[in-house]
């Protein structure tokens, strides 16, 4: 029903109506898909689709600036940020659907209904009272004293607001951006305390102090114990402590796994030099 | 679709544009804007100094640059005193109160910058060696040993000063909002950069940031509602819209309430004062001095401009609210201040109480009478200088863990270092409003303005609150001078040239204004009224 009001109130042209009726159902399908999709990446991509279709609508309604901003800022930047965060958190992470705040779901439903009512009243209101019309808004002559012909559409009008009326606020915002960049550096950038060792220096150190210049042996992989916490066997059949990193050993102990299967031989204890253990870290 | 494409083409190809279209050149009175341009430019230069000047020379370069910039901006303000001009296409109002407040902010910032320069570059600095290090980690100790210093605090502080100059000068809500953010964002950062008790400092910064973000959101929401009522965010247009309607519209009342919440938050008035003690305590002390003085001055300038210039027609609606806020603020600052045991928290509650005293004059002002606006301006000058001086003394009383802020550590300080304790006692007397300090005349001026404006109840509450605050100030004086010092008491750091200069500026201003207040009162009288 709102679309009918829109169509009647705004004198849409034929091609515009066609574009609307082709793309609007797709947008609604995408939006529903976003809400009901189980997979977060799918939901994010659906949202991107909705945003792109909205951009087309804006362009069709003589708002080219809004259309470009929609594509560049929302679809281009915000959506990509969403995806980055999803990838960082892990695409397979599942949200727990347990209600942590009491009555949250109920309050959410009430707020949603209220919002829909508000939206509906706004649209109906616009439909009943009639609107000022696109032309009047885009080609408003708000400064007749200057004698300037305010033609040029809404790109021009926005430019005029930004670079004329609010030019000082626009310029002052740059101070905000510089502060943000500087603040991010101050809070997140770490200066190294010592110069970074080159590969050559690392190699020299290994030979000078290390008792094991070659790469450490890999962990044992057996049919029954295919895991990094199972030590490799030396030629004499005893397990090599160098082959398992100490931190891996600690983690698997925490999870209740015996790192060294008992059947690997009782001679294991004999091959536990303290120095070798320290080096395997 | 085809008209859209035509417009896109017009936007992208200048040749295809309508030949009658010409872009108007915005009119900017660069001379009137000069103080803001200088401070903003110096802040930006400071960022370049971080990038290009070798590490060892950055500290001195930044100090000279920032102090030079502030002095130049002060000269610009003084040379502009005759300007009464609304410029930048109506966005900036350079009138008497603006110039007065800008001059005060710059003078106070010079004092604060001396403290920052001292404590940022000293070997036992108050700023974190490297703010990105995890508190208590080995990396943090390594950074301290390596002697890292964050010279970025200078450009950040200068950006905050630029915001403080813009905030009270803004003549529409959007410019005011940008000014509010430019002044707040660097302070959120700086509050979290203390070297000692870093978790406390980071907590303070996070609290300040989150609550500040909320208050900004209130401001934006209020701005939207006011726009819905008046169809404009310009103060003059809002005043016109109010004068042409006889009934109070809920839209404008709620809008003003939301704007008021954000402004009262910034000047730490109750009930939006909760951040003040925590942030004052957690932030590095030079930054506490800076924001206690500068933010309050700028916020009062902005509050007065919003209330008097834009919402003067609604004064019957906002005056009772300001009365209530003033009373609650004074009572909270006075009563809760009594229970404090930390000197920085105590000064925070003192600053809340002072916000209340200032609000009595705002609530008592009859819109249109210029005399009483000037009392607020005078109070801001007096308050700014004594705040800088008092926090400078707090920085000097130290023990092995940095500053000794607990009041039990201050016992008997007067016996050990009579001069420092004496100066602190002088500032406390000024806070209490006793002669021979500027605090006396400041209080007399605001209470007189409130009384003449018909706010006699506020004056009575103000007197009582002053008596309560005097109790806790005098208690510190008794504690410093009339009790035996502890054996392992804190040492008083020998003040460096920078800190001495800040203290001397504070003492001199407080004493001179206490003995001859009339010239500054006259100047404040000449500065008002606001340009409408």
């Amino acid at each position: 029903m709102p679309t009918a009001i829109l169509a009647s109130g705004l004198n849409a042209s034929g091609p515009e109506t066609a574009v609307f009726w082709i793309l609007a159902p797709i947008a609604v399908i995408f939006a529903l898909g976003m809400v009901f999709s189980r997979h977060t990446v799918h939901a994010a991509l659906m949202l991107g689709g909705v945003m792109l279709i909205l951009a087309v609508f804006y362009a069709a309604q003589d708002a080219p600036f809004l259309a470009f901003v929609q594509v560049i800022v929302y679809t281009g930047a915000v959506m990509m940020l969403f995806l980055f965060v999803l990838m960082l958190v892990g695409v397979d992470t599942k949200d727990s659907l347990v209600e942590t705040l009491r009555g949250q779901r109920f309050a959410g439903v009430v707020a949603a209904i209220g919002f829909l009512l508000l939206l509906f009243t706004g649209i109906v209101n616009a439909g009943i009272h009639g609107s000022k019309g696109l032309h009047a808004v885009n080609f408003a002559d708000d400064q007749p004293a200057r004698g300037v012909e305010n033609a040029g559409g809404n790109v021009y009008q926005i430019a005029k607001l930004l670079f004329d009326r609010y030019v000082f606020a626009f310029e002052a915002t740059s101070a905000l951006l510089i502060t943000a960049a500087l603040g991010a550096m101050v809070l997140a950038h770490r200066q190294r305390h010592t110069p970074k060792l080159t590969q050559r220096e690392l190699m020299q150190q290994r030979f000078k102090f290390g008792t094991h210049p070659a790469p450490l042996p890999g962990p044992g992989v057996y049919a029954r114990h295919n895991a990094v916490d199972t030590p490799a066997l030396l030629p004499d059949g005893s397990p090599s402590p160098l082959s398992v990193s100490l931190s891996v050993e600690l983690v698997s102990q925490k999870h209740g796994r015996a790192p060294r299967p008992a059947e690997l031989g009782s001679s294991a204890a004999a091959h536990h030099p303290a120095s070798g253990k320290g080096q395997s870290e | 679709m085809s008209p859209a494409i035509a417009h896109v083409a017009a936007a992208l190809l200048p040749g295809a544009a309508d030949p009658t279209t010409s872009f108007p050149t915005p009119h900017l009175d660069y001379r009137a804007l000069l103080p803001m341009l200088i401070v903003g430019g110096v802040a930006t230069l400071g960022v370049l100094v971080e990038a290009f000047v070798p590490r060892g020379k950055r500290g001195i370069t930044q100090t000279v640059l920032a102090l030079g910039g502030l002095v130049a901006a002060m000269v610009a303000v003084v040379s502009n005193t005759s300007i009464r001009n609304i410029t930048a296409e109506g966005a900036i109002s350079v009138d008497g109160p603006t110039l007065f407040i800008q001059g005060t902010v710059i003078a106070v910032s010079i004092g604060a910058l001396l403290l920052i320069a001292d404590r940022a570059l000293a070997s036992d600095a108050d700023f974190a060696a490297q703010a990105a290090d995890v508190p208590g980690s080995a990396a943090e100790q390594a950074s301290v040993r390596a002697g890292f210093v964050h010279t970025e605090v200078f450009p950040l502080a200068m950006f905050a000063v630029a915001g403080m100059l813009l905030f009270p000068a803004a003549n529409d809500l959007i410019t005011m909002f940008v000014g509010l953010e430019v002044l707040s964002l660097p302070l959120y950062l700086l509050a979290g950069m203390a070297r000692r008790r870093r978790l406390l400092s980071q907590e303070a910064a996070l609290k300040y940031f989150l609550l500040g973000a909320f208050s900004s959101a209130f401001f934006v929401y209020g701005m939207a509602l006011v726009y819905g009522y008046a169809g404009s965010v310009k103060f003059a247009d809002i005043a016109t819209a109010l004068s042409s309607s006889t009934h109070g519209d809920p839209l404008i009342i709620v809008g003003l309430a939301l704007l008021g919440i954000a402004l009262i938050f910034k000047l730490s008035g109750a009930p939006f004062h909760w951040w003040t003690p925590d942030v004052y305590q957690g932030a590095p002390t030079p930054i506490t001095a800076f924001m206690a003085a500068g933010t309050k001055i700028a916020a009062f300038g902005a509050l007065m401009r919003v209330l008097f210039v834009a919402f003067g027609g609604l004064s019957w609606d906002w005056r009772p609210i300001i009365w209530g806020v003033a009373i609650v603020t004074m009572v909270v600052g006075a009563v809760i201040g009594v229970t404090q045991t930390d000197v920085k928290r105590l000064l925070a509650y003192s600053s809340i109480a002072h916000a209340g005293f200032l609000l009595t004059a705002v609530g008592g002002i009859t819109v249109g009478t210029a005399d009483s606006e000037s009392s607020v301006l005078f109070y801001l000058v007096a308050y700014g200088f004594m705040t800088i001086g008092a926090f400078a003394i707090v920085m000097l009383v130290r023990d092995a863990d940095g500053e000794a802020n607990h009041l039990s550590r201050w016992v008997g300080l007067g016996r050990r270092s009579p001069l420092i304790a004496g100066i602190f006692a002088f500032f406390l007397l000024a806070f209490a409003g006793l002669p021979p300090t500027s605090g006396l005349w400041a209080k007399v001026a605001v209470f007189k303005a409130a009384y003449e404006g018909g706010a006699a109840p506020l004056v009575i509450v103000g007197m009582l609150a002053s008596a309560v605050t005097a109790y806790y100030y005098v208690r510190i004086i008794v504690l410093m001078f009339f009790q035996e010092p502890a054996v392992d008491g804190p040492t008083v750091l020998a003040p460096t040239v920078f800190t001495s200069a800040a203290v001397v500026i504070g003492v001199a201003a407080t004493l001179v204004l206490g003995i001859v207040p009339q010239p500054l009162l006259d100047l404040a009288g000449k500065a008002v009224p606001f340009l409408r």
Side-chain angles (χ1 to χ4, degrees), chain B residues 415-497:
Chain B
R415 308 272 177 99
R416 285 163 186 269
S417 31
L419 180 66
I420 295 295
I423 294 174
F424 195 65
F426 177 73
F427 284 126
L428 291 176
L429 289 179
F431 280 132
L434 296 174
T437 62
S438 57
L440 170 70
W441 302 112
K443 276 217 177 91
V444 167
V446 289
F447 286 158
K448 179 166 159 284
Y451 181 74
E452 286 172 354
L458 287 189
V459 178
I460 294 168
V461 177
M463 297 286 201
L464 293 175
S466 295
V468 177
T469 57
Y471 162 73
Y472 60 68
Y473 298 132
V474 173
R475 199 185 58 176
I476 300 180
I477 297 178
V478 170
L479 184 129
M480 285 194 302
F481 285 96
F482 301 104
Q483 288 184 20
E484 281 302 318
V487 185
D488 60 340
T491 53
V492 172
L493 200 70
T496 58
V497 182

Side-chain angles (χ1 to χ4, degrees), chain B residues 201-416:
Chain B
S201 172
Q202 293 182 349
E203 183 193 332
L206 192 65
K207 272 184 188 168
Y208 193 23
F209 172 65
L210 289 178
L211 292 176
F214 274 126
S215 87
S216 298
F218 278 115
F219 194 95
V220 175
Y221 196 5
M223 188 157 82
L225 294 185
V226 170
Y227 181 80
Y229 175 84
S232 168
V233 289
K234 293 185 201 177
F235 290 164
D237 292 349
I238 296 168
T240 316
L242 280 171
S243 66
S244 59
S245 88
T246 48
H247 62 98
D249 192 310
L251 211 54
I252 188 87
I253 305 274
V254 177
L256 174 59
L258 293 173
L259 293 179
I261 287 172
L263 291 169
I264 289 170
F265 172 87
K266 274 296 155 202
L267 50 85
S268 56
F272 309 107
H273 65 284
W274 298 103
W275 60 276
T276 315
D278 288 348
V279 176
Y280 279 24
Q281 187 186 16
T285 309
I287 298 303
T288 311
F290 178 47
M291 68 180 163
T295 310
K296 193 159 301 212
I297 295 169
F300 262 99
L303 178 76
M304 287 202 292
R305 190 178 296 282
V306 168
L307 289 184
F308 301 157
V309 177
F311 292 93
L314 272 185
S315 63
W316 287 105
D317 292 296
W318 55 252
R319 191 179 310 198
I321 310 292
I322 293 289
W323 278 38
V325 171
I327 289 173
V328 176
T329 308
M330 286 188 287
V331 170
V332 164
V335 173
I336 303 187
V338 172
T339 64
Q340 297 307 312
T341 52
D342 183 287
V343 69
K344 278 166 87 177
R345 285 186 88 83
L346 187 132
L347 288 178
Y349 279 101
S350 151
S351 119
I352 294 172
H354 282 284
F357 299 142
L358 279 154
L359 283 172
T360 60
V362 176
I365 284 170
T366 322
V367 174
T369 60
D371 303 358
S372 38
E373 292 170 6
S374 63
S375 67
V376 175
L377 297 181
F378 181 84
Y379 200 118
L380 289 174
V381 177
Y383 169 78
F385 281 110
M386 56 180 109
T387 303
I388 295 285
F391 279 108
I393 301 291
V394 171
M395 283 174 19
L396 292 177
V397 182
R398 308 175 83 85
D399 56 18
D401 301 330
E403 285 166 19
N405 287 340
H406 201 275
L407 275 180
S408 64
R409 308 283 291 152
W410 286 58
V411 170
L413 198 71
R415 308 272 177 99
R416 285 163 186 269

Side-chain angles (χ1 to χ4, degrees), chain A residues 63-74:
Chain A
F65 181 78
L66 204 55
F68 276 113
V69 166
Q70 176 81 12
V71 173
I72 294 166
V73 177
Y74 283 93

